[in-house]
Amino acid sequence: MNRLDGKVAIITGGVSGFGLAAAKLFVQEGAKVTITDVNDSKAEQALNEIGKDKAIFVQQDVSKEADWDPVFQKTIDQFGPVNVLLNNAGILIFDDAETVDMDQWHKILSVDLDGVMLGVKYGIKYMKEKGGSIINLASIASLIGISNLYSYNAAKGGVRLITKSAALYAAEKDYPIRVNSIHPGYAHTPMVDSYPELRQKLESLHPMKRLADPKEIANMALYLASDESSFSTGSEFVVDGGYTAQ
């Protein structure tokens, strides 16, 4: 229960889904955590679940660069230097190559790709002296094409490769920062569970014949946040119930 003793983490999109599961697990393992979200309506409930003495909430739109410095500054003021950044915030819209809407396209990319890019940029800014781990929540949609996730494919494919680029950059600059990506299959998150009519079909896509529990993804984030993953950078960690093995 002490794999993250002394560490300070920022988790975007931390009030539900993967982010909340990771925040709870990180605190259980000894970390202090800042969770962020564009909407503060679920913040109080999330903090109660995580533990108010070990976590704070900061409202943030990850796609807006002006929102990033305050998140780091408030975290540092409360807990000290940041060691871990989990770029988890994301949105999903079903679309395809023929009917894609430009407004929807830009909305998906602004959160799912721009938000991660900015997280990496500011993670490096604040962690390059003392070091740390940047973890980008990608997707199986970073690895394979999915015909009705056109914009999401584009965004998450971008996340996969900027992760590698940033990891190489940090290594070349001798910054003690690791940058890795996690690629979940479909899981029980508010984003997926908001489409109950698709549940049976989504389960059938996975050889394990079920969706992931968010904690199963959080377990991978815990590994990457901990010093156990000290030789891993620029790598992609797939947690998909066998989906992409087919």
Side-chain angles (χ1 to χ4, degrees), residues 11-14 36-37 62 86-91 111-112 115-116 137 156:
I11 300 175
T12 67
T36 82
D37 202 272
V62 296
L86 175 56
N87 284 310
N88 166 74
I91 58 175
V111 176
D112 293 2
V116 174
L137 226 297
K156 292 299 187 177

Side-chain angles (χ1 to χ4, degrees), residues 167-235:
L168 293 173
Y169 174 80
E172 289 167 2
K173 299 289 286 188
D174 290 326
Y175 296 153
I177 297 172
R178 297 177 290 107
V179 191
N180 294 286
S181 55
I182 299 176
H183 301 256
Y186 291 99
H188 287 293
T189 65
M191 189 164 68
V192 172
D193 288 342
S194 62
Y195 300 95
E197 71 279 6
L198 296 177
R199 177 172 174 174
Q200 188 173 359
K201 179 182 179 181
L202 295 178
E203 288 176 339
S204 72
L205 296 173
H206 301 76
M208 294 182 74
K209 298 181 175 63
R210 66 176 177 86
L211 304 186
D213 184 290
K215 187 174 180 180
E216 293 176 301
I217 313 306
N219 285 332
M220 182 59 75
L222 171 62
Y223 168 70
L224 292 173
S226 76
D227 294 337
E228 297 162 19
S229 57
S230 56
F231 199 55
S232 296
T233 196
S235 296

